[in-house]
Every structure is written in C-alpha cells, then in structure tokens.
Amino acid sequence: MTKTQVAQAISATVELDTPLKRGETEVTELTLRKPSAGELRGVSLAEVLQMQTDALITLIPRISNPTLAAAEVRQMDPADLVQFGGEIAGFLLTKRAKGETE
C-alpha cells in the first residue's frame, strides 16, 4: 500500500451539501479520520455501522477537522450526516472486507 493509500484509509474529506455556519465563516468541507478504540468509547459499534443518529452525533465531534460540536452535528443536513456515516463505517471494515489484499 502506498503512503497515499494509507493516508486515504485513515482519513476522508467530505464536501458538505449544505455548509455549516460558524459566525461569519462557512464550513464547506470536513475531514474525518479513522477513530481509535478510545474514541469509540461510549458508542455501540453496531449503532455506528447502522448509522444511528445518536452514535454519529457522539462520534463525529471526536474525529472531525475542523472539530464540530455535537450541537453543530445535530443541525447538519441529513444528506451530509449520511455521507459521514458511510465514511465512518468504511473506516471500521477490515482490509479483507474492503477487498484489499495487503
């Protein structure tokens, strides 16, 4: 696996369909990074994989850059939340499940 592929496997940049307002600035994209085991504390992996809203609201602030507050995640467009859920679920799959040989 190349360094670029490794970087892509541990982070994903998502362009928001509906930008988030932070005072005078707009957040148009967020980078999510693969969570560590400690960042998954207090959330059910099954709920994360099922993209349960409460699990995502808990987890996204822990792994987003720029860091979002839970209140900002609650205000997010549902289409953006689903995009994030898909990226997070992908982080939790094994290489074998993703079809990677190495």
Side-chain angles (χ1 to χ4, degrees):
M1 194 182 268
T2 67
K3 287 184 180 181
T4 302
Q5 289 171 319
V6 170
Q8 289 172 342
I10 59 173
S11 68
T13 300
V14 178
E15 188 174 331
L16 299 174
D17 281 350
T18 306
L20 297 171
K21 287 277 198 182
R22 277 193 161 169
E24 297 295 317
T25 61
E26 273 191 352
V27 177
T28 59
E29 69 179 23
L30 289 168
T31 300
L32 299 176
R33 62 180 168 68
K34 184 175 184 173
S36 66
E39 290 166 325
L40 293 168
R41 72 191 181 289
V43 295
S44 162
L45 290 179
E47 289 179 357
V48 171
L49 289 170
Q50 293 171 353
M51 295 193 286
Q52 294 286 327
T53 304
D54 288 339
L56 295 177
I57 288 171
T58 300
L59 185 56
I60 290 170
R62 297 177 183 177
I63 63 170
S64 64
N65 184 24
T67 303
L68 295 180
E72 291 174 306
V73 179
R74 282 189 207 95
Q75 297 300 317
M76 188 178 288
D77 184 311
D80 292 327
L81 187 65
V82 169
Q83 279 191 91
F84 286 178
E87 293 294 344
I88 292 167
F91 289 147
L92 302 179
L93 296 176
T94 63
K95 290 179 185 178
R96 186 175 182 192
K98 293 178 192 175
E100 297 175 10
T101 57
E102 291 184 19

